[in-house]
Amino acid sequence: MKFINRLLVFTLICIFLGVSTIFGFYLYVRPELPNVATLKDVELQTPMQVYSVDGKLISQFGEKRRIPVTYHEIPQDLINALISTEDSRFYEHLGIDPIGITRAALVVAMSGFTKQGASTITQQLARNFFLSNEKKIMRKIKEIFIAIHIEQLLSKQEILALYVNKIFLGYRSYGFGAAARVYFGKDLKDLTLSEISTLAGLPKSPSTMNPIYSVERATNRRNVVLSRMFGEGYITHSEYEQAKSEPIISSYHSAEIELNAPYVAELARAWMVERYDDKVYESGMKVYTTIDSHLQYSTQHAAISNLLAYDQRHGYRGAVTTLWGVNSPAWNTIKIQHYLSKQPSYGELKPAVVIKVNKKSAMLTLKQDERATLPWEGIKWARRYISDIRQGSAPKQAGEVLSIGDQIWVQNIGDVLYLSQVPNANTAMVVLSPENGAVKALVGGFNFIHSKFNRVTQSVRQVGSGIKPFIYSAALEQGMTLATLINDAPINHWDENQGIAWRPKNSPPTYGGPTTILRGLAQSKNVMAIRTLRHVGLNETVDYLTRFGFKRDDLPRTEALALGAGSFTPMEIAQGFSVFTNGGYYLMPFYIHKVEDPFKRLIYTAHPQIICNGYCKDLTNKHDAFNLKEEANILTQPSSMENTVTYAPQVITEQNAFLIREALEANIWGGGNWRDGTGWNGTGWRAKKPLNRHDIGGKTGTTNDLKDAWYTGFSPGLVATVWVGFDDHSRTLGRTSRNANFGNNQVSGVESGAKTSQPAWINLMVDTISNVPEQDKVIPSDIIKVRIDRDTGLLTRRTDSNSMFQYFQKGTEPTKYIPTGSVNGNIYESEGEELF
């Protein structure tokens, strides 16, 4: 009895000492314990993702891959697997498992090794959020107390959800949602029991037990998980055997980029960082841009194919390098593959090595030891590049172009492999919606990996004749009409200040005498644009052009402004042309549609400016935009979550916009009767046959030194601008001579906006509006149509090919008829010449 009493006293003393020790430890570490209440509002470190407006993933930014899921989205099999493997008494304990700790201690005491973990799911959560993985007793004590606090604060469901989303599972994946994607390329809800068990086994050692590192170790660990699930009664024997018998098929799955728009992704990234700072990289925010995936794909293909066509018709510059010479031993497969693995791919351009040259073909090795034949069809274009204005003769056999050991670039065009090259020139292309300013597609250059410089928003280049529609719009504002005659004759102007003569010329240098404004704009007559600017006035023209968003500092106060001496970005040009297509309204381009948090809650949405079309009751001043803030970034977002309405200012009249649009349509369709030979072409005539519709128009632009080629065109609901040129301002686009072997690119002569840039616009339109019904012309009020004489612009009663119908703003139409006779050599006007 005395022994029992002593044992009881000893036990009580031990309990007291134990409790005191624990309490002492608690008091000691309490100041260092984190506030676990932060778990209530924890923001998981999830990459920011950028999407198109229709939900295609463009890019993601952030080191950690995580796909958060709610508790109700966690498969029950995963919950069962984690509990049976990591913490079988999860629902019974209060944060720590005394039984598990005692069992683990006995194992250590008996074997001398740590064979069994004692950390509960709650302890692992505490360690993942608040502590390091260092193996020290004090860290373990802190972990225990934090786990107890967590259990007091959170429900079991909340603890499990945090654990499933937080834990590291290898290959930069954090949480089981990301791991499902990384290892199996599936959503968590779509995993099989075998795959779930594989992932559930990863917390023990994510770096060495994952199925990418070792299928054998992953399989063994998966079987352990399945065994414990069966032992705990979570699965039947047949389910256990079935899952155990399945082979683990796994490979690394990177983020599945669905849409190639890296320049857009960079714009979105920079916008998000500016708005929300660097925390966006771990915010899990989903950024939806205004980019339309189909338009982006078509724009990318049109711009890059056009650039490669330009580059190739100027000749082949030779191999990137020669890996081994004629007198050197050939590289073996391993060495070739090691070299190719370090070479980038630029979109459709892939690196390859020539291993054999035949008379009319060559054998190549590509990455992953792929072998391919380069046929003569893909080689015969490659005449030698001499300079930007000279090319060699067409090759007659493959050996004139290729040598064994050459590293080259190739691309597939249809089913044919073509020799290619990284272009020296570059391009930019942007597509806007003129109805609200949304950027629908954007290509900032040949390849983002090759150059991250965004030529749509950052490259300020002279625009050539692309400025002329704005010059003529100013003329219409002052009362001129599309039928006003301007003298298309050479200009010889003596500059007294510089002591030199200025002799601007047409391109080509042909002149037609008195010519209507419509034809002068459609055919891009340089001297007519200068005379029109003189009529309007230089200062007045500069002031007028700021209505379209052009910065005053970018508008030189010289008559060369009429020829495109001003420098703008492609985005600014597209923005300016939108005014003509939407009825005269200035809209700020924008490219962020909305932003969501990781749980799809809307935290930002754009409210673009509204075109009121004369029906807005509370629009106070339609012409405020005449004093636009020129220093503003044209890509500033139009609004935020506030449900505000912002009206787009009307900067030119609807009638003015309509008439300029008529001239831009004539740029493609020209004028006159082709059957009797009286017709004429506009500079954009190449679009007539492939598009064959009358609701399109545009304007070419070529700088007088051939350094920049432009085309801006419109179609129903779209405005697109294309630029081609060299980043190196010393280079010119040059010219080409005819090449019988060049196939579809058999185009000779001087490069220009029509030849160099317009084909990209045409290809885009063919791909995007072929199935869109042609729109009927919408004629604004106060626009009338009268029959005029083609040569004089005066009224006529004749109905032959010398006459045409022309639109005028009411009150500006001609009032006199063309003279019909003469007396003694003096022309007189017939009776009743006055229209009114």
Side-chain angles (χ1 to χ4, degrees), residues 174-474:
Y174 290 78
F176 286 87
R181 277 284 174 190
V182 167
Y183 294 110
F184 300 110
K186 297 181 180 180
D187 290 333
L188 188 58
K189 63 181 177 62
D190 297 325
L191 295 182
T192 65
L193 176 59
S194 171
E195 292 166 340
I196 284 175
S197 302
T198 301
L199 297 186
L202 293 181
K204 182 177 178 65
S205 181
S207 298
T208 61
M209 289 186 173
N210 70 72
I212 297 176
Y213 179 84
S214 173
V215 174
E216 181 181 359
R217 291 185 180 184
T219 302
N220 292 336
R221 180 61 180 164
R222 177 204 64 183
N223 294 343
V224 170
V225 174
L226 289 170
S227 177
R228 292 184 181 177
M229 291 181 72
F230 175 61
E232 295 286 338
Y234 290 121
I235 58 176
T236 65
H237 186 266
S238 61
E239 289 174 325
Y240 167 71
E241 292 294 341
Q242 172 64 32
K244 186 179 177 182
S245 65
E246 293 178 8
I248 297 178
I249 301 174
S250 175
S251 61
Y252 179 74
H253 294 78
S254 59
E256 295 182 10
I257 303 303
E258 300 171 285
L259 181 64
N260 182 27
Y263 292 98
V264 175
E266 174 56 23
L267 284 173
R269 183 205 65 80
W271 186 88
M272 288 292 289
V273 170
E274 181 180 0
R275 187 178 183 88
Y276 299 107
D277 69 45
D278 287 346
K279 68 181 182 181
V280 296
Y281 297 125
E282 298 177 343
S283 66
M285 292 182 182
K286 299 182 186 299
V287 187
Y288 289 86
T289 66
T290 56
I291 298 298
D292 177 277
S293 62
H294 175 69
L295 268 174
Q296 177 64 30
Y297 174 82
S298 298
T299 302
Q300 178 83 17
H301 180 73
I304 302 309
S305 296
N306 178 66
L307 177 65
L308 291 174
Y310 161 82
D311 186 71
Q312 290 173 6
R313 64 177 172 259
H314 281 261
Y316 182 57
R317 295 184 295 276
V320 178
T321 187
T322 299
L323 303 180
W324 67 87
V326 176
N327 299 321
S328 302
W331 286 15
N332 60 31
T333 300
I334 295 175
K335 193 172 183 180
I336 292 174
Q337 287 304 310
H338 178 71
Y339 172 83
L340 287 175
S341 68
K342 296 181 179 181
Q343 307 309 307
S345 294
Y346 296 125
E348 297 178 357
L349 267 61
K350 311 297 181 185
V353 175
V354 180
I355 58 174
K356 184 179 180 181
V357 179
N358 302 314
K359 185 176 181 180
K360 294 287 186 177
S361 66
M363 294 298 298
L364 310 178
T365 294
L366 288 76
K367 288 184 177 180
Q368 298 179 340
D369 201 23
E370 180 185 353
R371 302 299 173 93
T373 298
L374 184 61
W376 181 241
E377 184 178 350
I379 302 173
K380 62 183 182 181
W381 67 267
R383 53 184 176 169
R384 183 169 63 92
Y385 168 85
I386 299 175
S387 70
D388 291 333
I389 61 173
R390 290 184 62 202
Q391 302 84 42
S393 58
K396 294 180 173 58
Q397 57 185 14
E400 297 177 35
V401 178
L402 303 170
S403 299
I404 294 175
D406 282 353
Q407 192 248 291
I408 60 174
W409 298 100
V410 294
Q411 67 172 139
N412 283 100
I413 301 178
D415 296 328
V416 179
L417 189 66
Y418 273 76
L419 173 66
S420 192
Q421 59 190 355
V422 175
N424 280 342
N426 226 303
T427 191
M429 192 167 182
V430 60
V431 183
L432 297 181
S433 165
E435 302 306 317
N436 62 8
V439 179
K440 308 299 289 183
L442 185 150
V443 177
F446 164 65
N447 186 273
F448 189 74
I449 297 174
H450 187 254
S451 170
K452 294 176 174 56
F453 182 63
N454 189 337
R455 292 154 190 84
V456 167
T457 61
Q458 296 175 297
S459 184
V460 180
R461 307 290 295 230
Q462 287 192 350
V463 297
S465 296
I467 200 68
K468 290 175 183 174
F470 306 100
I471 303 294
Y472 286 112
S473 176

